[in-house]
Amino acid sequence: NAGVTQTPKFQVLKTGQSMTLQCAQDMNHEYMSWYRQDPGMGLRLIHYSVGAGITDQGEVPNGYNVSRSTTEDFPLRLLSAAPSQTSVYFCASSYRAYTGELFFGEGSRLTVL
Amino acid sequence: GIQVEQSPPDLILQEGANSTLRCNFSDSVNNLQWFHQNPWGQLINLFYIPSGTKQNGRLSATTVATERYSLLYISSSQTTDSGVYFCAASGYSTLTFGKGTMLLVSP
């Protein structure tokens, strides 16, 4: 049981490049989400999904795209990276949307030059 | 949405001391969780506690939902307790995180 797995752990991009952060969970969790963590800002929700085929925007969705074609996977796409997207990104999942315990991946540190 | 405020923002303890971290929230909740982010950045779920009291070893938590606060108690602190403690709360919606309490336990 691997839990929540994120890849890559580290990435450096140039402004304007695109990339995808991968997130997979093997716990049959209904709910998956992406957060970004910046100094002094805590954790802010980017996008979330309450089940396969369903996604919704969180607090800071601009510049990011998501899809949920399977229960297990929830990739986060940066379409045209900007320096403001330099951050640590966390994927998290829970068994039930809104009321379940949230489990986090190990994080992905992204630097945009 | 719900506002979540944590106090104190920073805390320095000597090993063996006890501490209490507080989380205030602005509305009724059906989900409240405490997390520990260790110095390597990992976020670990400590308690799922929308109401009542729970204990896990040296850590315990109490949520008084009617008064809109939750407390995390750390007893006999150890250097491995260092890190940032986050509280997160929601009504029937996505979790809102507080800005955290940074704890440093010195030997």
Side-chain angles (χ1 to χ4, degrees), chain B residues 51-87:
Chain B
S51 64
T53 298
K54 289 185 177 179
Q55 179 149 10
N56 184 0
R58 296 180 296 102
L59 271 60
S60 65
T62 295
T63 297
V64 183
T66 53
E67 297 189 22
R68 300 184 182 168
Y69 72 88
S70 182
L71 302 174
L72 178 68
Y73 304 97
I74 304 174
S75 64
S76 304
S77 58
Q78 301 176 357
T79 56
T80 53
D81 295 329
S82 296
V84 183
Y85 290 81
F86 289 102
C87 169

